[in-house]
Amino acid sequence: DAKTTQPNSMESNEEEPVHLPCNHSTISGTDYIHWYRQLPSQGPEYVIHGLTSNVNNRMASLAIAEDRKSSTLILHRATLRDAAVYYCILRTNAGKSTFGDGTTLTVKP
Amino acid sequence: SQTIHQWPATLVQPVGSPLSLECTVEGTSNPNLYWYRQAAGRGLQLLFYSVGIGQISSEVPQNLSASRPQDRQFILSSKKLLLSDSGFYLCARQAGRANEQFFGPGTRLTVL
C-alpha cells in the first residue's frame, strides 16, 4: 500500500485557520486521498476525500497538489472540538489502507 | 443507515483466555468489512477484511482469527489471548464511490 507522511503534531489557536499537510509521493493514479479524524476513545470519523481537484464540504477543505504527491487539509476556523488526531490515507480500489500515526492537533483557546 | 455496532465496549481478560468480539452493521447488503487494532497513541493496524460471507483476508499473522457467518456480522476471535493483544479494536465498513470507511465505536481490550 502507498504510504503517507504527516507531522506528528501541530498547534493552532481557536478561530484561526489550520493547514494540516500530508505527503504521498508514491500515490498511484487510482488512489483516492482520504482524511479522517479521531477523538479520544472513539473510532475515526470520515472528514473528506479527493482524487485530483480541490474539495470542500461542511467540515473542511482539501487542497491537492497538481502532481498529487501532497495534500493539505484545511480547517477554516479551528474550534476546541477540532482537537483530534488527523489521518491522511490513500484508498485503493482494493479497499485496503494503511493508517499511520497521524497528526495530533491541539487547539488553544 | 451506516450504523455499526460493536460489543462489548470494554473487556478485561486474563492471558490465555479466549476472545470473541462482535461487529454488526446496518444498511446495504454485502458490505466490505474490516477489523483494525490500535495500540495506545498509535495509528490503526489492519487485521482482517472481508468482501462477503465466509471470505476473510488476513493482513497480519498473529493469534487472532476472523469470521463472517452472516452478511452483516463480523467476528474477531482468539483461542488464547496474549498480553500484546491489548488495544482498541475497531470494526469498519466501506461505502461510497471513493471507498470511504465508517467506523464503529470500538472495543477496548485489556489483557492482564
Short mmCIF file of all heavy atoms in Angstrom, two decimals, chain A residues 14 44-45 49 54 86 91 106:
data_model
loop_
_atom_site.label_atom_id
_atom_site.label_comp_id
_atom_site.label_asym_id
_atom_site.label_seq_id
_atom_site.Cartn_x
_atom_site.Cartn_y
_atom_site.Cartn_z
N GLU A 14 -7.61 28.93 18.66
CA GLU A 14 -9.04 28.85 18.36
C GLU A 14 -9.43 29.96 17.38
O GLU A 14 -8.92 31.07 17.45
CB GLU A 14 -9.83 28.97 19.65
CG GLU A 14 -11.27 28.54 19.56
CD GLU A 14 -11.96 28.57 20.91
OE1 GLU A 14 -11.38 29.12 21.87
OE2 GLU A 14 -13.08 28.04 21.01
N PRO A 44 -12.34 6.45 14.32
CA PRO A 44 -12.10 7.54 13.38
C PRO A 44 -13.38 7.97 12.67
O PRO A 44 -14.28 7.16 12.45
CB PRO A 44 -11.09 6.93 12.39
CG PRO A 44 -10.41 5.86 13.15
CD PRO A 44 -11.47 5.30 14.05
N GLU A 45 -13.41 9.22 12.31
CA GLU A 45 -14.56 9.81 11.63
C GLU A 45 -14.11 10.31 10.26
O GLU A 45 -13.09 11.01 10.15
CB GLU A 45 -15.10 10.97 12.47
CG GLU A 45 -16.18 11.80 11.81
CD GLU A 45 -16.51 13.06 12.58
OE1 GLU A 45 -15.62 13.58 13.29
OE2 GLU A 45 -17.66 13.54 12.48
N HIS A 49 -12.58 13.55 1.17
CA HIS A 49 -11.70 12.83 0.27
C HIS A 49 -11.63 13.56 -1.07
O HIS A 49 -12.50 14.38 -1.39
CB HIS A 49 -12.15 11.38 0.06
CG HIS A 49 -13.34 11.25 -0.86
ND1 HIS A 49 -14.64 11.29 -0.40
CD2 HIS A 49 -13.41 11.09 -2.20
CE1 HIS A 49 -15.47 11.14 -1.42
NE2 HIS A 49 -14.76 11.04 -2.53
N ASN A 54 -9.46 20.13 -5.91
CA ASN A 54 -9.71 20.56 -4.53
C ASN A 54 -11.18 20.32 -4.18
O ASN A 54 -12.05 20.36 -5.05
CB ASN A 54 -9.35 22.03 -4.37
CG ASN A 54 -7.87 22.27 -4.55
OD1 ASN A 54 -7.06 21.35 -4.51
ND2 ASN A 54 -7.52 23.52 -4.78
N TYR A 86 -5.52 13.56 13.26
CA TYR A 86 -5.96 13.60 11.88
C TYR A 86 -5.11 12.65 11.05
O TYR A 86 -3.88 12.71 11.07
CB TYR A 86 -5.86 15.02 11.32
CG TYR A 86 -6.93 15.92 11.87
CD1 TYR A 86 -6.82 16.47 13.14
CD2 TYR A 86 -8.08 16.21 11.13
CE1 TYR A 86 -7.83 17.28 13.66
CE2 TYR A 86 -9.08 17.02 11.63
CZ TYR A 86 -8.95 17.54 12.90
OH TYR A 86 -9.95 18.33 13.42
N ARG A 91 -6.70 5.48 -0.44
CA ARG A 91 -7.64 4.38 -0.60
C ARG A 91 -7.55 3.86 -2.02
O ARG A 91 -7.72 4.61 -2.99
CB ARG A 91 -9.06 4.83 -0.32
CG ARG A 91 -9.32 5.20 1.12
CD ARG A 91 -9.36 3.99 2.02
NE ARG A 91 -10.59 3.22 1.86
CZ ARG A 91 -10.78 2.03 2.39
NH1 ARG A 91 -9.83 1.44 3.06
NH2 ARG A 91 -11.93 1.41 2.22
N THR A 106 -3.62 20.18 18.39
CA THR A 106 -4.00 20.82 19.65
C THR A 106 -4.54 22.20 19.32
O THR A 106 -3.90 22.96 18.60
CB THR A 106 -2.80 20.94 20.59
OG1 THR A 106 -2.27 19.63 20.84
CG2 THR A 106 -3.21 21.58 21.91
#
